[in-house]
Amino acid sequence: MHNGRGSDALQSPAQTVVIGGGISGLACAFRLCQLGIPVLLLEQSQRVGGVIDSVQQDGFLFERGPQSFLSTDLLLELIDALGLGPELLRADPRAPRYILTGGRLEPVPMAPPALLTTPLLGISSKWKLLSEPFRRSQPPANDESVADFVRRKFGSELLELLVGPFVSGVYAGDPEKLSLRSAFPSAYQWEKDYGSVLRGAIKSRPPKEKPRATLCTFRDGVVTLVRTLGEKLGDAVHRGASVISVRRGKTNCKSQFELQVTSHGRTELLRASAVVVATATEPAGRLLAGISEQFPMHFAKIEYAPVAVVASGYRREQMQHPAEGFGFLVPQRERLRVLGTVWNSSLFAGRAPAGMVNLTSFAGGATDPDLLHWSDAEVADTVAQEVARVLKITGPPVTSHVQRYACALPQYNLGHNVTIEALRELCAASPVLFLTGNYLEGPSIGVCVEQAFRTARGVQQYLALTGELAHDLEGKP
Ligand SMILES: Cc1cc2nc3c(=O)[nH]c(=O)nc-3n(C[C@H](O)[C@H](O)[C@H](O)COP(=O)(O)OP(=O)(O)OC[C@H]3O[C@@H](n4cnc5c(N)ncnc54)[C@H](O)[C@@H]3O)c2cc1C
């Protein structure tokens, strides 16, 4: 898998340069290597992984970003290719999830019979849900918000109690602003194709014999995935290499781009025949301003939600609630800063020492950005007090860890599809320029990997088309 290049200095020309070593950039670079395309990945920090990182603290295994990932087919393929199968841990798919309502935790109904009996919803919401397949409709022509869609199809109770909390669990987002067609494209498509989201969901169910995707992590945390990708890429990865700008190269030379890169205190010029930008939108806009001023303009339209991740360890006897299952989500009307809490040590083994419990809470999000200005201690205290009330905990946590992101998750807000289309058109005008990242097709790790693999395929097709690949692979099997 190694490229055979020295790792100290940046050497050019690399055929393809990937900028950004989060899961998107790593997966793209790995796939390019698998396709036999020489690649150089430039990551500004000293470690790869971006928002994915796991830390050992006082015997607890805390996740600073994503807590787990869904076992999509492609992700499992990648895990297999990396030899990480034996490290994989799967959560019990039946682990109950809870919603906080009136200060109490109620299980989320996961199947139709539970929907009928759940005290979470009144009779009118239940009727709207169960009769939805028979009330055919079509999505409006304009971009509809998730909130408007749910109110139109199911009523405001479902929005407040189930969809709102779910949306904050995935996007830390505001359902009034998130676009249904961009944030939940399947739901949009199901209504369009079948006149009903439930009918569409049933028709699109995978065959019974296919194992359902489950939540997974690794024995040593989610970081195993990015760390192993970094190791496999070997000297194709340059850490501490910050790209300052990307410009078009001279037209008569084979290298289409010139990158200004700062590494080890030196600024160097690097040539590349294809560039994949795998950073968040703000740096992407800055880097590509020299190609077109329209890049920063369009990228600036994509907002991010801030999130604080508070991981805490407690002694089991401090808690009255068993905290068995996935965890709980909090509707806005409960007026808490906590958006939700994952019960990590109930989901996966090895997250806490014996007799201890590992909980991770999320606070902030698009609807509560002020939290970003608080100190870590204030965030940790507030979260501890709120979680203590819900789970009947006495005393402070034995240890805790706060990680804050000013720009945690891109918001697929109204008009997102237009912005993405404009960015795609800009890239099409520079055929050797590719974008990959969590603002394009979905923020989950699985979707980032799928998108990154497709991007690598696009690079391969382009290079094959222009003959550069054939030239560079000449003589290779
Ligand atoms: C708090 C939180 C919880 C989450 N929970 C889950 C979850 O449970 N399950 C799930 O599937 N997903 C989850 N996600 C989403 C998922 O983790 C992210 O969408 C995904 O990891 C983003 O990867 P990325 O590579 O696109 O971006 P990033 O991880 O942001 O990586 C971008 C990289 O680019 C580098 N970079 C930036 N500028 C430059 C430059 N000029 N030169 C060189 N390098 C540069 C950065 O240093 C960074 O390493 C969560 C995200 C967050 C923040």
Side-chain angles (χ1 to χ4, degrees), residues 90-115:
R90 290 171 187 270
D92 179 353
R94 292 158 307 173
R97 290 144 197 264
Y98 295 85
I99 295 282
L100 186 71
T101 172
R104 281 165 47 89
L105 291 181
E106 289 292 347
V108 174
M110 308 286 269
L115 260 179

mmCIF file with all atom_site columns, all heavy atoms in Angstrom, residues 90-115:
data_model
loop_
_atom_site.group_PDB
_atom_site.id
_atom_site.type_symbol
_atom_site.label_atom_id
_atom_site.label_alt_id
_atom_site.label_comp_id
_atom_site.label_asym_id
_atom_site.label_entity_id
_atom_site.label_seq_id
_atom_site.pdbx_PDB_ins_code
_atom_site.Cartn_x
_atom_site.Cartn_y
_atom_site.Cartn_z
_atom_site.occupancy
_atom_site.B_iso_or_equiv
_atom_site.pdbx_formal_charge
_atom_site.auth_seq_id
_atom_site.auth_comp_id
_atom_site.auth_asym_id
_atom_site.auth_atom_id
_atom_site.pdbx_PDB_model_num
ATOM 1   N N   . ARG A 1 90  ? -19.927 -5.063  17.997 1.00 0.00 ? 90  ARG A N   1
ATOM 2   C CA  . ARG A 1 90  ? -21.266 -4.702  17.529 1.00 0.00 ? 90  ARG A CA  1
ATOM 3   C C   . ARG A 1 90  ? -22.202 -4.510  18.717 1.00 0.00 ? 90  ARG A C   1
ATOM 4   O O   . ARG A 1 90  ? -22.209 -5.345  19.627 1.00 0.00 ? 90  ARG A O   1
ATOM 5   C CB  . ARG A 1 90  ? -21.855 -5.822  16.652 1.00 0.00 ? 90  ARG A CB  1
ATOM 6   C CG  . ARG A 1 90  ? -21.178 -5.976  15.315 1.00 0.00 ? 90  ARG A CG  1
ATOM 7   C CD  . ARG A 1 90  ? -21.688 -7.236  14.640 1.00 0.00 ? 90  ARG A CD  1
ATOM 8   N NE  . ARG A 1 90  ? -20.948 -7.506  13.419 1.00 0.00 ? 90  ARG A NE  1
ATOM 9   C CZ  . ARG A 1 90  ? -21.304 -7.048  12.230 1.00 0.00 ? 90  ARG A CZ  1
ATOM 10  N NH1 . ARG A 1 90  ? -22.393 -6.322  12.103 1.00 0.00 ? 90  ARG A NH1 1
ATOM 11  N NH2 . ARG A 1 90  ? -20.578 -7.329  11.167 1.00 0.00 ? 90  ARG A NH2 1
ATOM 12  N N   . ALA A 1 91  ? -23.002 -3.442  18.665 1.00 0.00 ? 91  ALA A N   1
ATOM 13  C CA  . ALA A 1 91  ? -23.986 -3.217  19.738 1.00 0.00 ? 91  ALA A CA  1
ATOM 14  C C   . ALA A 1 91  ? -25.192 -4.119  19.492 1.00 0.00 ? 91  ALA A C   1
ATOM 15  O O   . ALA A 1 91  ? -25.452 -4.521  18.358 1.00 0.00 ? 91  ALA A O   1
ATOM 16  C CB  . ALA A 1 91  ? -24.419 -1.758  19.734 1.00 0.00 ? 91  ALA A CB  1
ATOM 17  N N   . ASP A 1 92  ? -25.919 -4.415  20.550 1.00 0.00 ? 92  ASP A N   1
ATOM 18  C CA  . ASP A 1 92  ? -27.148 -5.196  20.418 1.00 0.00 ? 92  ASP A CA  1
ATOM 19  C C   . ASP A 1 92  ? -28.167 -4.342  19.658 1.00 0.00 ? 92  ASP A C   1
ATOM 20  O O   . ASP A 1 92  ? -28.546 -3.265  20.133 1.00 0.00 ? 92  ASP A O   1
ATOM 21  C CB  . ASP A 1 92  ? -27.663 -5.526  21.832 1.00 0.00 ? 92  ASP A CB  1
ATOM 22  C CG  . ASP A 1 92  ? -28.955 -6.329  21.782 1.00 0.00 ? 92  ASP A CG  1
ATOM 23  O OD1 . ASP A 1 92  ? -29.511 -6.517  20.685 1.00 0.00 ? 92  ASP A OD1 1
ATOM 24  O OD2 . ASP A 1 92  ? -29.406 -6.752  22.858 1.00 0.00 ? 92  ASP A OD2 1
ATOM 25  N N   . PRO A 1 93  ? -28.630 -4.812  18.472 1.00 0.00 ? 93  PRO A N   1
ATOM 26  C CA  . PRO A 1 93  ? -29.561 -3.968  17.695 1.00 0.00 ? 93  PRO A CA  1
ATOM 27  C C   . PRO A 1 93  ? -30.873 -3.722  18.430 1.00 0.00 ? 93  PRO A C   1
ATOM 28  O O   . PRO A 1 93  ? -31.615 -2.805  18.091 1.00 0.00 ? 93  PRO A O   1
ATOM 29  C CB  . PRO A 1 93  ? -29.792 -4.765  16.405 1.00 0.00 ? 93  PRO A CB  1
ATOM 30  C CG  . PRO A 1 93  ? -29.295 -6.146  16.684 1.00 0.00 ? 93  PRO A CG  1
ATOM 31  C CD  . PRO A 1 93  ? -28.327 -6.085  17.813 1.00 0.00 ? 93  PRO A CD  1
ATOM 32  N N   . ARG A 1 94  ? -31.160 -4.551  19.459 1.00 0.00 ? 94  ARG A N   1
ATOM 33  C CA  . ARG A 1 94  ? -32.430 -4.352  20.187 1.00 0.00 ? 94  ARG A CA  1
ATOM 34  C C   . ARG A 1 94  ? -32.262 -3.413  21.380 1.00 0.00 ? 94  ARG A C   1
ATOM 35  O O   . ARG A 1 94  ? -33.204 -3.205  22.140 1.00 0.00 ? 94  ARG A O   1
ATOM 36  C CB  . ARG A 1 94  ? -32.971 -5.701  20.679 1.00 0.00 ? 94  ARG A CB  1
ATOM 37  C CG  . ARG A 1 94  ? -33.427 -6.625  19.525 1.00 0.00 ? 94  ARG A CG  1
ATOM 38  C CD  . ARG A 1 94  ? -33.430 -8.042  19.970 1.00 0.00 ? 94  ARG A CD  1
ATOM 39  N NE  . ARG A 1 94  ? -32.101 -8.363  20.538 1.00 0.00 ? 94  ARG A NE  1
ATOM 40  C CZ  . ARG A 1 94  ? -31.784 -9.488  21.154 1.00 0.00 ? 94  ARG A CZ  1
ATOM 41  N NH1 . ARG A 1 94  ? -32.682 -10.407 21.305 1.00 0.00 ? 94  ARG A NH1 1
ATOM 42  N NH2 . ARG A 1 94  ? -30.570 -9.700  21.624 1.00 0.00 ? 94  ARG A NH2 1
ATOM 43  N N   . ALA A 1 95  ? -31.039 -2.866  21.542 1.00 0.00 ? 95  ALA A N   1
ATOM 44  C CA  . ALA A 1 95  ? -30.805 -1.967  22.686 1.00 0.00 ? 95  ALA A CA  1
ATOM 45  C C   . ALA A 1 95  ? -31.840 -0.836  22.665 1.00 0.00 ? 95  ALA A C   1
ATOM 46  O O   . ALA A 1 95  ? -31.950 -0.121  21.666 1.00 0.00 ? 95  ALA A O   1
ATOM 47  C CB  . ALA A 1 95  ? -29.397 -1.379  22.612 1.00 0.00 ? 95  ALA A CB  1
ATOM 48  N N   . PRO A 1 96  ? -32.618 -0.678  23.742 1.00 0.00 ? 96  PRO A N   1
ATOM 49  C CA  . PRO A 1 96  ? -33.670 0.347   23.717 1.00 0.00 ? 96  PRO A CA  1
ATOM 50  C C   . PRO A 1 96  ? -33.106 1.770   23.727 1.00 0.00 ? 96  PRO A C   1
ATOM 51  O O   . PRO A 1 96  ? -32.045 2.022   24.284 1.00 0.00 ? 96  PRO A O   1
ATOM 52  C CB  . PRO A 1 96  ? -34.472 0.068   24.996 1.00 0.00 ? 96  PRO A CB  1
ATOM 53  C CG  . PRO A 1 96  ? -33.558 -0.707  25.874 1.00 0.00 ? 96  PRO A CG  1
ATOM 54  C CD  . PRO A 1 96  ? -32.593 -1.435  25.000 1.00 0.00 ? 96  PRO A CD  1
ATOM 55  N N   . ARG A 1 97  ? -33.826 2.662   23.064 1.00 0.00 ? 97  ARG A N   1
ATOM 56  C CA  . ARG A 1 97  ? -33.497 4.091   23.056 1.00 0.00 ? 97  ARG A CA  1
ATOM 57  C C   . ARG A 1 97  ? -34.620 4.792   23.787 1.00 0.00 ? 97  ARG A C   1
ATOM 58  O O   . ARG A 1 97  ? -35.767 4.357   23.714 1.00 0.00 ? 97  ARG A O   1
ATOM 59  C CB  . ARG A 1 97  ? -33.477 4.616   21.611 1.00 0.00 ? 97  ARG A CB  1
ATOM 60  C CG  . ARG A 1 97  ? -32.328 4.094   20.814 1.00 0.00 ? 97  ARG A CG  1
ATOM 61  C CD  . ARG A 1 97  ? -32.735 3.853   19.368 1.00 0.00 ? 97  ARG A CD  1
ATOM 62  N NE  . ARG A 1 97  ? -31.745 2.996   18.735 1.00 0.00 ? 97  ARG A NE  1
ATOM 63  C CZ  . ARG A 1 97  ? -30.730 3.431   18.013 1.00 0.00 ? 97  ARG A CZ  1
ATOM 64  N NH1 . ARG A 1 97  ? -30.612 4.711   17.772 1.00 0.00 ? 97  ARG A NH1 1
ATOM 65  N NH2 . ARG A 1 97  ? -29.849 2.603   17.503 1.00 0.00 ? 97  ARG A NH2 1
ATOM 66  N N   . TYR A 1 98  ? -34.296 5.866   24.437 1.00 0.00 ? 98  TYR A N   1
ATOM 67  C CA  . TYR A 1 98  ? -35.295 6.552   25.261 1.00 0.00 ? 98  TYR A CA  1
ATOM 68  C C   . TYR A 1 98  ? -35.433 8.014   24.856 1.00 0.00 ? 98  TYR A C   1
ATOM 69  O O   . TYR A 1 98  ? -34.500 8.616   24.336 1.00 0.00 ? 98  TYR A O   1
ATOM 70  C CB  . TYR A 1 98  ? -34.901 6.471   26.739 1.00 0.00 ? 98  TYR A CB  1
ATOM 71  C CG  . TYR A 1 98  ? -34.918 5.055   27.278 1.00 0.00 ? 98  TYR A CG  1
ATOM 72  C CD1 . TYR A 1 98  ? -33.818 4.218   27.121 1.00 0.00 ? 98  TYR A CD1 1
ATOM 73  C CD2 . TYR A 1 98  ? -36.056 4.564   27.913 1.00 0.00 ? 98  TYR A CD2 1
ATOM 74  C CE1 . TYR A 1 98  ? -33.842 2.911   27.592 1.00 0.00 ? 98  TYR A CE1 1
ATOM 75  C CE2 . TYR A 1 98  ? -36.089 3.257   28.393 1.00 0.00 ? 98  TYR A CE2 1
ATOM 76  C CZ  . TYR A 1 98  ? -34.984 2.440   28.228 1.00 0.00 ? 98  TYR A CZ  1
ATOM 77  O OH  . TYR A 1 98  ? -35.016 1.150   28.692 1.00 0.00 ? 98  TYR A OH  1
ATOM 78  N N   . ILE A 1 99  ? -36.621 8.542   25.160 1.00 0.00 ? 99  ILE A N   1
ATOM 79  C CA  . ILE A 1 99  ? -36.894 9.972   24.979 1.00 0.00 ? 99  ILE A CA  1
ATOM 80  C C   . ILE A 1 99  ? -37.262 10.531  26.351 1.00 0.00 ? 99  ILE A C   1
ATOM 81  O O   . ILE A 1 99  ? -38.021 9.900   27.099 1.00 0.00 ? 99  ILE A O   1
ATOM 82  C CB  . ILE A 1 99  ? -38.100 10.182  24.022 1.00 0.00 ? 99  ILE A CB  1
ATOM 83  C CG1 . ILE A 1 99  ? -37.773 9.692   22.610 1.00 0.00 ? 99  ILE A CG1 1
ATOM 84  C CG2 . ILE A 1 99  ? -38.546 11.645  24.000 1.00 0.00 ? 99  ILE A CG2 1
ATOM 85  C CD1 . ILE A 1 99  ? -36.913 10.606  21.789 1.00 0.00 ? 99  ILE A CD1 1
ATOM 86  N N   . LEU A 1 100 ? -36.721 11.684  26.656 1.00 0.00 ? 100 LEU A N   1
ATOM 87  C CA  . LEU A 1 100 ? -37.058 12.329  27.923 1.00 0.00 ? 100 LEU A CA  1
ATOM 88  C C   . LEU A 1 100 ? -38.347 13.118  27.740 1.00 0.00 ? 100 LEU A C   1
ATOM 89  O O   . LEU A 1 100 ? -38.433 13.975  26.857 1.00 0.00 ? 100 LEU A O   1
ATOM 90  C CB  . LEU A 1 100 ? -35.913 13.268  28.329 1.00 0.00 ? 100 LEU A CB  1
ATOM 91  C CG  . LEU A 1 100 ? -36.048 13.903  29.707 1.00 0.00 ? 100 LEU A CG  1
ATOM 92  C CD1 . LEU A 1 100 ? -35.826 12.857  30.806 1.00 0.00 ? 100 LEU A CD1 1
ATOM 93  C CD2 . LEU A 1 100 ? -35.048 15.045  29.872 1.00 0.00 ? 100 LEU A CD2 1
ATOM 94  N N   . THR A 1 101 ? -39.328 12.807  28.538 1.00 0.00 ? 101 THR A N   1
ATOM 95  C CA  . THR A 1 101 ? -40.573 13.570  28.450 1.00 0.00 ? 101 THR A CA  1
ATOM 96  C C   . THR A 1 101 ? -41.107 13.812  29.863 1.00 0.00 ? 101 THR A C   1
ATOM 97  O O   . THR A 1 101 ? -41.250 12.853  30.635 1.00 0.00 ? 101 THR A O   1
ATOM 98  C CB  . THR A 1 101 ? -41.621 12.892  27.524 1.00 0.00 ? 101 THR A CB  1
ATOM 99  O OG1 . THR A 1 101 ? -42.842 13.590  27.644 1.00 0.00 ? 101 THR A OG1 1
ATOM 100 C CG2 . THR A 1 101 ? -41.808 11.427  27.791 1.00 0.00 ? 101 THR A CG2 1
ATOM 101 N N   . GLY A 1 102 ? -41.316 15.077  30.195 1.00 0.00 ? 102 GLY A N   1
ATOM 102 C CA  . GLY A 1 102 ? -41.751 15.438  31.546 1.00 0.00 ? 102 GLY A CA  1
ATOM 103 C C   . GLY A 1 102 ? -40.766 14.953  32.595 1.00 0.00 ? 102 GLY A C   1
ATOM 104 O O   . GLY A 1 102 ? -41.173 14.554  33.693 1.00 0.00 ? 102 GLY A O   1
ATOM 105 N N   . GLY A 1 103 ? -39.483 14.925  32.245 1.00 0.00 ? 103 GLY A N   1
ATOM 106 C CA  . GLY A 1 103 ? -38.456 14.510  33.205 1.00 0.00 ? 103 GLY A CA  1
ATOM 107 C C   . GLY A 1 103 ? -38.299 12.996  33.330 1.00 0.00 ? 103 GLY A C   1
ATOM 108 O O   . GLY A 1 103 ? -37.439 12.514  34.057 1.00 0.00 ? 103 GLY A O   1
ATOM 109 N N   . ARG A 1 104 ? -39.143 12.220  32.600 1.00 0.00 ? 104 ARG A N   1
ATOM 110 C CA  . ARG A 1 104 ? -39.054 10.752  32.667 1.00 0.00 ? 104 ARG A CA  1
ATOM 111 C C   . ARG A 1 104 ? -38.545 10.181  31.351 1.00 0.00 ? 104 ARG A C   1
ATOM 112 O O   . ARG A 1 104 ? -38.782 10.748  30.287 1.00 0.00 ? 104 ARG A O   1
ATOM 113 C CB  . ARG A 1 104 ? -40.456 10.157  32.895 1.00 0.00 ? 104 ARG A CB  1
ATOM 114 C CG  . ARG A 1 104 ? -40.962 10.216  34.336 1.00 0.00 ? 104 ARG A CG  1
ATOM 115 C CD  . ARG A 1 104 ? -42.468 9.956   34.339 1.00 0.00 ? 104 ARG A CD  1
ATOM 116 N NE  . ARG A 1 104 ? -42.805 8.791   33.511 1.00 0.00 ? 104 ARG A NE  1
ATOM 117 C CZ  . ARG A 1 104 ? -42.849 7.537   33.956 1.00 0.00 ? 104 ARG A CZ  1
ATOM 118 N NH1 . ARG A 1 104 ? -42.571 7.284   35.216 1.00 0.00 ? 104 ARG A NH1 1
ATOM 119 N NH2 . ARG A 1 104 ? -43.174 6.546   33.158 1.00 0.00 ? 104 ARG A NH2 1
ATOM 120 N N   . LEU A 1 105 ? -37.878 9.029   31.422 1.00 0.00 ? 105 LEU A N   1
ATOM 121 C CA  . LEU A 1 105 ? -37.410 8.388   30.190 1.00 0.00 ? 105 LEU A CA  1
ATOM 122 C C   . LEU A 1 105 ? -38.445 7.372   29.718 1.00 0.00 ? 105 LEU A C   1
ATOM 123 O O   . LEU A 1 105 ? -38.819 6.467   30.470 1.00 0.00 ? 105 LEU A O   1
ATOM 124 C CB  . LEU A 1 105 ? -36.063 7.688   30.433 1.00 0.00 ? 105 LEU A CB  1
ATOM 125 C CG  . LEU A 1 105 ? -34.876 8.607   30.693 1.00 0.00 ? 105 LEU A CG  1
ATOM 126 C CD1 . LEU A 1 105 ? -33.598 7.797   30.894 1.00 0.00 ? 105 LEU A CD1 1
ATOM 127 C CD2 . LEU A 1 105 ? -34.674 9.612   29.560 1.00 0.00 ? 105 LEU A CD2 1
ATOM 128 N N   . GLU A 1 106 ? -38.893 7.561   28.465 1.00 0.00 ? 106 GLU A N   1
ATOM 129 C CA  . GLU A 1 106 ? -39.848 6.611   27.877 1.00 0.00 ? 106 GLU A CA  1
ATOM 130 C C   . GLU A 1 106 ? -39.174 5.930   26.691 1.00 0.00 ? 106 GLU A C   1
ATOM 131 O O   . GLU A 1 106 ? -38.509 6.598   25.893 1.00 0.00 ? 106 GLU A O   1
ATOM 132 C CB  . GLU A 1 106 ? -41.091 7.354   27.347 1.00 0.00 ? 106 GLU A CB  1
ATOM 133 C CG  . GLU A 1 106 ? -42.004 7.911   28.399 1.00 0.00 ? 106 GLU A CG  1
ATOM 134 C CD  . GLU A 1 106 ? -42.728 6.829   29.211 1.00 0.00 ? 106 GLU A CD  1
ATOM 135 O OE1 . GLU A 1 106 ? -42.708 5.654   28.803 1.00 0.00 ? 106 GLU A OE1 1
ATOM 136 O OE2 . GLU A 1 106 ? -43.266 7.178   30.276 1.00 0.00 ? 106 GLU A OE2 1
ATOM 137 N N   . PRO A 1 107 ? -39.341 4.596   26.541 1.00 0.00 ? 107 PRO A N   1
ATOM 138 C CA  . PRO A 1 107 ? -38.719 3.920   25.404 1.00 0.00 ? 107 PRO A CA  1
ATOM 139 C C   . PRO A 1 107 ? -39.282 4.428   24.071 1.00 0.00 ? 107 PRO A C   1
ATOM 140 O O   . PRO A 1 107 ? -40.473 4.711   23.973 1.00 0.00 ? 107 PRO A O   1
ATOM 141 C CB  . PRO A 1 107 ? -39.081 2.447   25.600 1.00 0.00 ? 107 PRO A CB  1
ATOM 142 C CG  . PRO A 1 107 ? -39.731 2.338   26.923 1.00 0.00 ? 107 PRO A CG  1
ATOM 143 C CD  . PRO A 1 107 ? -40.104 3.703   27.398 1.00 0.00 ? 107 PRO A CD  1
ATOM 144 N N   . VAL A 1 108 ? -38.411 4.557   23.077 1.00 0.00 ? 108 VAL A N   1
ATOM 145 C CA  . VAL A 1 108 ? -38.847 4.934   21.719 1.00 0.00 ? 108 VAL A CA  1
ATOM 146 C C   . VAL A 1 108 ? -39.508 3.705   21.112 1.00 0.00 ? 108 VAL A C   1
ATOM 147 O O   . VAL A 1 108 ? -38.918 2.624   21.120 1.00 0.00 ? 108 VAL A O   1
ATOM 148 C CB  . VAL A 1 108 ? -37.635 5.342   20.852 1.00 0.00 ? 108 VAL A CB  1
ATOM 149 C CG1 . VAL A 1 108 ? -38.051 5.597   19.408 1.00 0.00 ? 108 VAL A CG1 1
ATOM 150 C CG2 . VAL A 1 108 ? -36.948 6.560   21.433 1.00 0.00 ? 108 VAL A CG2 1
ATOM 151 N N   . PRO A 1 109 ? -40.728 3.858   20.586 1.00 0.00 ? 109 PRO A N   1
ATOM 152 C CA  . PRO A 1 109 ? -41.361 2.693   19.957 1.00 0.00 ? 109 PRO A CA  1
ATOM 153 C C   . PRO A 1 109 ? -40.604 2.298   18.688 1.00 0.00 ? 109 PRO A C   1
ATOM 154 O O   . PRO A 1 109 ? -40.419 3.124   17.802 1.00 0.00 ? 109 PRO A O   1
ATOM 155 C CB  . PRO A 1 109 ? -42.778 3.181   19.631 1.00 0.00 ? 109 PRO A CB  1
ATOM 156 C CG  . PRO A 1 109 ? -42.712 4.674   19.684 1.00 0.00 ? 109 PRO A CG  1
ATOM 157 C CD  . PRO A 1 109 ? -41.559 5.061   20.546 1.00 0.00 ? 109 PRO A CD  1
ATOM 158 N N   . MET A 1 110 ? -40.116 1.058   18.628 1.00 0.00 ? 110 MET A N   1
ATOM 159 C CA  . MET A 1 110 ? -39.291 0.630   17.485 1.00 0.00 ? 110 MET A CA  1
ATOM 160 C C   . MET A 1 110 ? -40.093 -0.192  16.472 1.00 0.00 ? 110 MET A C   1
ATOM 161 O O   . MET A 1 110 ? -39.588 -0.525  15.414 1.00 0.00 ? 110 MET A O   1
ATOM 162 C CB  . MET A 1 110 ? -38.094 -0.204  17.972 1.00 0.00 ? 110 MET A CB  1
ATOM 163 C CG  . MET A 1 110 ? -37.272 0.455   19.063 1.00 0.00 ? 110 MET A CG  1
ATOM 164 S SD  . MET A 1 110 ? -36.258 1.792   18.468 1.00 0.00 ? 110 MET A SD  1
ATOM 165 C CE  . MET A 1 110 ? -34.771 0.925   18.074 1.00 0.00 ? 110 MET A CE  1
ATOM 166 N N   . ALA A 1 111 ? -41.324 -0.590  16.820 1.00 0.00 ? 111 ALA A N   1
ATOM 167 C CA  . ALA A 1 111 ? -42.122 -1.418  15.908 1.00 0.00 ? 111 ALA A CA  1
ATOM 168 C C   . ALA A 1 111 ? -43.589 -1.014  16.032 1.00 0.00 ? 111 ALA A C   1
ATOM 169 O O   . ALA A 1 111 ? -43.979 -0.412  17.036 1.00 0.00 ? 111 ALA A O   1
ATOM 170 C CB  . ALA A 1 111 ? -41.937 -2.890  16.279 1.00 0.00 ? 111 ALA A CB  1
ATOM 171 N N   . PRO A 1 112 ? -44.427 -1.347  15.004 1.00 0.00 ? 112 PRO A N   1
ATOM 172 C CA  . PRO A 1 112 ? -45.825 -0.889  15.020 1.00 0.00 ? 112 PRO A CA  1
ATOM 173 C C   . PRO A 1 112 ? -46.589 -1.218  16.303 1.00 0.00 ? 112 PRO A C   1
ATOM 174 O O   . PRO A 1 112 ? -47.287 -0.345  16.821 1.00 0.00 ? 112 PRO A O   1
ATOM 175 C CB  . PRO A 1 112 ? -46.427 -1.573  13.791 1.00 0.00 ? 112 PRO A CB  1
ATOM 176 C CG  . PRO A 1 112 ? -45.259 -1.788  12.878 1.00 0.00 ? 112 PRO A CG  1
ATOM 177 C CD  . PRO A 1 112 ? -44.076 -2.026  13.757 1.00 0.00 ? 112 PRO A CD  1
ATOM 178 N N   . PRO A 1 113 ? -46.463 -2.444  16.901 1.00 0.00 ? 113 PRO A N   1
ATOM 179 C CA  . PRO A 1 113 ? -47.253 -2.682  18.126 1.00 0.00 ? 113 PRO A CA  1
ATOM 180 C C   . PRO A 1 113 ? -46.876 -1.704  19.250 1.00 0.00 ? 113 PRO A C   1
ATOM 181 O O   . PRO A 1 113 ? -47.754 -1.214  19.968 1.00 0.00 ? 113 PRO A O   1
ATOM 182 C CB  . PRO A 1 113 ? -46.878 -4.119  18.518 1.00 0.00 ? 113 PRO A CB  1
ATOM 183 C CG  . PRO A 1 113 ? -46.282 -4.732  17.296 1.00 0.00 ? 113 PRO A CG  1
ATOM 184 C CD  . PRO A 1 113 ? -45.702 -3.632  16.480 1.00 0.00 ? 113 PRO A CD  1
ATOM 185 N N   . ALA A 1 114 ? -45.582 -1.392  19.353 1.00 0.00 ? 114 ALA A N   1
ATOM 186 C CA  . ALA A 1 114 ? -45.140 -0.460  20.411 1.00 0.00 ? 114 ALA A CA  1
ATOM 187 C C   . ALA A 1 114 ? -45.673 0.939   20.146 1.00 0.00 ? 114 ALA A C   1
ATOM 188 O O   . ALA A 1 114 ? -45.929 1.703   21.085 1.00 0.00 ? 114 ALA A O   1
ATOM 189 C CB  . ALA A 1 114 ? -43.620 -0.449  20.482 1.00 0.00 ? 114 ALA A CB  1
ATOM 190 N N   . LEU A 1 115 ? -45.873 1.259   18.863 1.00 0.00 ? 115 LEU A N   1
ATOM 191 C CA  . LEU A 1 115 ? -46.422 2.575   18.510 1.00 0.00 ? 115 LEU A CA  1
ATOM 192 C C   . LEU A 1 115 ? -47.828 2.742   19.073 1.00 0.00 ? 115 LEU A C   1
ATOM 193 O O   . LEU A 1 115 ? -48.224 3.831   19.487 1.00 0.00 ? 115 LEU A O   1
ATOM 194 C CB  . LEU A 1 115 ? -46.487 2.706   16.993 1.00 0.00 ? 115 LEU A CB  1
ATOM 195 C CG  . LEU A 1 115 ? -45.388 3.482   16.303 1.00 0.00 ? 115 LEU A CG  1
ATOM 196 C CD1 . LEU A 1 115 ? -45.612 3.483   14.813 1.00 0.00 ? 115 LEU A CD1 1
ATOM 197 C CD2 . LEU A 1 115 ? -45.305 4.899   16.825 1.00 0.00 ? 115 LEU A CD2 1
#
